[in-house]
Amino acid sequence: IEESPRYYAQLTYIFFLPTKHLYEYHQEIENLKKDDGKYDTEQCYKLIEKKFIKKYVSKIYGGDLEKEEAAETENLNRFDFQFLDAIRDAEKEMFFGSHSLLKDVVNYFLDYDITDGYDFEELTQKQKDEIKEKEGEFKCKSKDLLWHLKNRISKEKMLEYAEETGADIGGSPDFDAEISEQEMLFALRLIVEKNGLKLPIKNNGLGYNNLLFIALILARIQMIRSSSMGDNAKIFPMMAIEEPEAHLHPSMQAKFLEFLERNLNEHRQARQVFITSHSTHITSAVDLDSIICLYEDVNGCNKAGYPGKVFTNEKKDEDSKNYIKRFLDATKSNMLFANKLIFVEGVSEQILLPCFAAYLNKEEQLLNEHICIVNIDSRTFKHFLKIFQYDLDQNPYAINRKVACITDADPMKKRINSGRSNQFVKCYPYELNEDIKNFKYRPLATHAQELQKISDDYENIEVYTSPVGEGKTLEYELAMNNPSCKSLITDCFPSSGKNSKSIFYNVMEAYDNEKSLEDLIELSNHEDIISLINNSDWQESEKRKALIASMYYDAVENLKGTHAFYLEKQLRDNFEDNKLTFKVPDYIKNAIEYITI
């Protein structure tokens, strides 16, 4: 016997133009087509706003949408929706007990140690007697207090004008000396006490006040769910919070989210919480399955992406999802907010790319078009790209944004039939295919090959590598394209040794003066590089550049980040002063031009 399918409760809200108005709408909207067959969007909106928006109707259907069964108002009233906008007056709502939020919450928690939130009729006789005893005690004490206060007032003198105006003809004015517990709540004032000081809410920080306000909202939700509300109790309270990060320190944002999650999972006061946010700290702290990304896709259409749903149950997808959950920090979660993305595999590219864009007159576009540069490890590109591998049929939950991936070619070689560890190791591009009897070569790293396959399958993703068979890393390509540009020599170069500033200056100067390869070699102390270049079948013109590029790579390989900081400053200065010619490597140029189109 098959198990019955899982039952889902479903409400569908629709906002639409009734059928009887559609003919008129289509006739008028057709008149707004331009010569190229496309609609004049601005005029279409104006027409809808002027003539049709007032004719739109809203409906809420329950269950299967195809049946179009209207949801009953009585059932809809069992839902509760609390909306906290970004600019909320938390002080006004919390300051005095006369405001409904604080008054209602305090009234609910009155004698909570006895009632535990249950309605009076549901309590045991012992509990009812305890409450009546407390009410009687309050009545006596409050009556004594008010009589004391009343006797201090010169009532006759204060009200003598009432007799003169004739107001006493309707009865003699007096003061009531009794007050209910609910009326007394009006006198309560919420304060904050810290280090012995008692501060009014209005003197507290906006961020903390917002947190207190949300705590009161949750307390109110607990109240409206309880049996004390009788038939008016809510069964499905929801809370929507707009930009909770306002006025909150990043660490407090994370703590706040932990509190909300704990409330949902353990206390279950609010059954569902919606948050709209532009905070990368909040995004990085939220579970991937809880994120919905509202965005404009590559075709200019408004879409919703569900990053947590792009992963299947296959092992490789589970690994990718777990990796992203672990490493989606505040910096990397920028990818969910950007209009376009550039993934790079190192801090050097992340630092230098805006500077390269400036040389291409594209830096302003990077900023204005909200293009985000995200630095991730070359081996983890595939994990993060999963979120953007959009396919209408196979993967509609992915985010259809334009993505450029910039990665190194990283050529490698390994010895054939070696008794030692038979692993691929890095090599220079001019080593490729030099000894095919003893070595196996790989002109393009495995991770780059995988990225190119992904690019072939998805139109919104493009991959750019340093030239296959000729390129190596960014640093190598910078020198290969600018062998005489002394702006590449930074203060992180040592003052002595084979990678000293003076050696690089002399080698670049010799290249600029069109000295031969032999002359350049004489200025270099890199015997291993010299030997490899001499054994290469490259043309001398390419060998001259390759020598400088290899020396440059060797000098900065272990200090790329520090070198990039110095280099960015020097290239900026050079750009502003227009002193030396600097060429952006073609693969970087192509990536920037693609992403800014």
Side-chain angles (χ1 to χ4, degrees):
I1 300 175
E2 292 186 4
E3 294 183 1
S4 60
R6 184 176 178 183
Y7 176 77
Y8 289 94
Q10 177 175 301
L11 286 175
T12 305
Y13 174 87
I14 59 173
F15 185 64
F16 64 99
L17 186 66
T19 305
K20 62 183 179 180
H21 302 300
L22 287 179
Y23 178 76
E24 179 189 4
Y25 169 79
H26 287 302
Q27 284 236 312
E28 298 217 23
I29 211 78
E30 281 298 311
N31 295 329
L32 298 178
K33 272 189 176 179
K34 298 184 291 185
D35 294 338
D36 59 2
K38 296 181 179 179
Y39 291 100
D40 186 327
T41 306
E42 184 178 355
Q43 293 303 316
C44 287
Y45 279 124
K46 287 182 178 179
L47 172 67
I48 293 170
E49 183 179 22
K50 181 180 179 180
K51 295 192 66 174
F52 294 103
I53 195 68
K54 59 188 175 184
K55 298 177 182 178
Y56 274 66
V57 296
S58 62
K59 297 283 185 182
I60 300 179
Y61 294 120
D64 188 352
L65 180 59
E66 293 181 359
K67 295 181 179 180
E68 294 188 352
E69 294 181 355
E72 296 180 4
T73 303
E74 182 181 352
N75 291 330
L76 292 177
N77 287 337
R78 307 290 275 182
F79 291 83
D80 181 69
F81 185 76
Q82 298 289 330
F83 174 60
L84 286 68
D85 61 12
I87 307 175
R88 48 189 173 267
D89 192 350
E91 296 173 11
K92 180 181 178 182
E93 294 292 335
M94 296 190 298
F95 197 16
F96 290 111
S98 56
H99 290 291
S100 60
L101 175 60
L102 182 59
K103 182 189 71 175
D104 291 346
V105 169
V106 172
N107 188 46
Y108 171 70
F109 284 98
L110 185 67
D111 294 326
Y112 189 80
D113 57 329
I114 300 174
T115 68
D116 200 27
Y118 287 99
D119 185 48
F120 185 80
E121 295 177 357
E122 297 177 311
L123 302 179
T124 64
Q125 189 58 47
K126 181 181 179 181
Q127 290 172 318
K128 290 178 181 179
D129 292 341
E130 285 186 62
I131 292 176
K132 287 181 178 179
E133 183 181 346
K134 287 180 178 289
E135 289 174 343
E137 183 182 0
F138 171 82
K139 188 173 183 180
C140 292
K141 289 183 177 180
S142 62
K143 190 172 184 178
D144 289 344
L145 177 65
L146 288 173
W147 271 103
H148 172 75
L149 187 62
K150 179 179 177 181
N151 291 333
R152 292 172 58 190
I153 299 173
S154 299
K155 183 185 68 173
E156 293 78 9
K157 186 67 177 174
M158 177 180 172
L159 299 177
E160 65 181 357
Y161 292 109
E163 297 179 6
E164 296 179 12
T165 60
D168 62 339
I169 196 169
S172 299
D174 200 351
F175 294 105
D176 187 7
E178 289 189 12
I179 189 171
S180 69
E181 293 168 324
Q182 285 69 32
E183 290 171 324
M184 182 64 82
L185 293 178
F186 285 10
L188 291 180
R189 182 164 60 102
L190 195 61
I191 62 170
V192 175
E193 186 171 358
K194 187 174 182 180
N195 297 330
L197 296 175
K198 295 181 179 180
L199 299 174
I201 283 294
K202 68 178 182 180
N203 293 340
N204 204 24
L206 291 176
Y208 285 99
N209 279 355
N210 280 327
L211 291 179
L212 285 173
F213 184 56
I214 292 170
L216 281 177
I217 291 290
L218 288 170
R220 182 184 179 278
I221 289 174
Q222 179 180 342
M223 174 190 74
I224 63 177
R225 289 188 64 204
S226 70
S227 61
S228 66
M229 299 295 294
D231 291 339
N232 293 320
K234 307 296 183 181
I235 61 170
F236 200 93
M238 294 171 282
M239 183 162 63
I241 309 172
E242 185 178 5
E243 298 181 9
E245 67 268 20
H247 318 299
L248 284 183
H249 185 274
S251 63
M252 287 299 296
Q253 294 176 29
K255 187 174 182 180
F256 170 66
L257 284 176
E258 290 177 6
F259 159 72
L260 279 183
E261 186 174 8
R262 189 166 57 251
N263 186 277
L264 278 171
N265 297 332
E266 297 177 10
H267 305 297
R268 295 179 65 81
Q269 303 307 341
R271 298 294 298 276
Q272 197 166 10
V273 176
F274 299 90
I275 293 175
T276 60
S277 176
H278 290 91
S279 169
T280 55
H281 294 282
I282 283 182
T283 308
S284 61
V286 174
D287 185 78
L288 200 63
D289 291 323
S290 299
I291 296 175
I292 302 173
C293 184
L294 303 178
Y295 70 102
E296 186 178 282
D297 71 3
V298 294
N299 300 312
C301 300
N302 293 324
K303 292 285 186 67
Y306 299 81
K309 290 187 176 182
V310 303
F311 303 95
T312 66
N313 293 326
E314 294 181 10
K315 178 66 166 59
K316 61 179 183 178
D317 271 18
E318 288 182 354
D319 291 342
S320 292
K321 188 174 185 179
N322 290 332
Y323 184 91
I324 292 176
K325 282 182 176 181
R326 182 177 178 186
F327 292 103
L328 189 65
D329 56 22
T331 301
K332 292 182 178 62
S333 63
N334 261 324
M335 68 178 71
L336 300 176
F337 297 97
N339 289 338
K340 301 176 184 178
L341 285 162
I342 304 177
F343 282 122
V344 297
E345 64 168 298
V347 67
S348 298
E349 287 87 345
Q350 186 177 29
I351 293 169
L352 293 168
L353 215 61
C355 181
F356 295 156
Y359 274 87
L360 300 171
N361 295 318
K362 297 283 187 178
E363 185 175 21
E364 199 168 319
Q365 278 184 269
L366 286 184
L367 296 173
N368 294 341
E369 296 181 16
H370 306 290
I371 298 171
C372 180
I373 303 170
V374 182
N375 170 28
I376 52 180
D377 185 86
S378 60
R379 293 165 295 180
T380 63
F381 269 74
K382 59 184 180 181
H383 299 313
F384 289 96
L385 280 179
K386 283 279 184 181
I387 296 176
F388 303 95
Q389 290 173 207
Y390 178 83
D391 183 278
L392 181 60
D393 298 319
Q394 302 297 324
N395 198 8
Y397 298 118
I399 299 173
N400 189 17
R401 279 180 174 148
K402 209 171 187 180
V403 179
C405 301
I406 300 176
T407 184
D408 297 330
D410 282 330
M412 307 188 86
K413 67 178 183 179
K414 74 173 180 179
R415 186 175 291 276
I416 300 172
N417 299 325
S418 172
R420 294 170 294 176
S421 178
N422 196 21
Q423 299 289 329
F424 274 101
V425 295
K426 295 178 181 179
C427 70
Y428 290 103
Y430 44 80
E431 294 182 69
L432 294 171
N433 301 322
E434 284 298 310
D435 186 3
I436 58 176
K437 289 184 178 180
N438 295 309
F439 287 92
K440 183 177 181 179
Y441 298 93
R442 184 181 289 165
L444 187 64
T446 303
H447 75 271
Q449 295 179 37
E450 292 175 348
L451 288 178
Q452 287 187 340
K453 290 178 182 178
I454 294 173
S455 175
D456 292 339
D457 292 334
Y458 299 95
E459 293 181 359
N460 62 314
I461 299 173
E462 291 292 336
V463 175
Y464 298 88
T465 70
S466 44
V468 180
E470 299 176 4
K472 184 170 175 63
T473 67
L474 170 66
E475 292 75 21
Y476 181 92
E477 290 306 308
L478 286 176
M480 196 74 180
N481 284 269
N482 303 277
S484 62
C485 181
K486 300 178 184 64
S487 288
L488 297 183
I489 307 172
T490 67
D491 287 342
C492 69
F493 283 53
S495 57
S496 59
K498 64 179 182 178
N499 290 324
S500 67
K501 277 186 176 182
S502 58
I503 287 179
F504 273 93
Y505 185 91
N506 291 335
V507 172
M508 286 186 167
E509 185 75 15
Y511 181 91
D512 200 27
N513 292 327
E514 299 183 356
K515 297 293 185 180
S516 67
L517 176 62
E518 287 74 16
D519 293 331
L520 299 182
I521 288 174
E522 285 184 9
L523 297 171
S524 170
N525 293 325
H526 292 74
E527 294 182 2
D528 52 342
I529 294 174
I530 293 170
S531 174
L532 293 171
I533 286 181
N534 281 332
N535 291 332
S536 170
D537 60 0
W538 282 19
Q539 297 293 321
E540 179 169 337
S541 60
E542 293 301 305
K543 286 184 177 182
R544 290 169 69 235
K545 290 189 291 185
L547 173 64
I548 296 174
S550 302
M551 292 170 57
Y552 192 76
Y553 168 80
D554 183 72
V556 302
E557 181 184 12
N558 295 321
L559 36 85
K560 290 184 178 182
T562 306
H563 169 67
F565 278 111
Y566 283 111
L567 181 59
E568 196 272 345
K569 174 67 168 59
Q570 291 184 186
L571 289 178
R572 289 281 184 187
D573 293 342
N574 181 62
F575 177 70
E576 293 173 5
D577 298 338
N578 198 25
K579 291 180 180 178
L580 299 172
T581 300
F582 174 77
K583 180 188 175 186
V584 178
D586 286 341
Y587 75 106
I588 300 287
K589 176 184 176 182
N590 294 337
I592 292 174
E593 289 181 343
Y594 162 76
I595 208 70
T596 53
I597 293 176

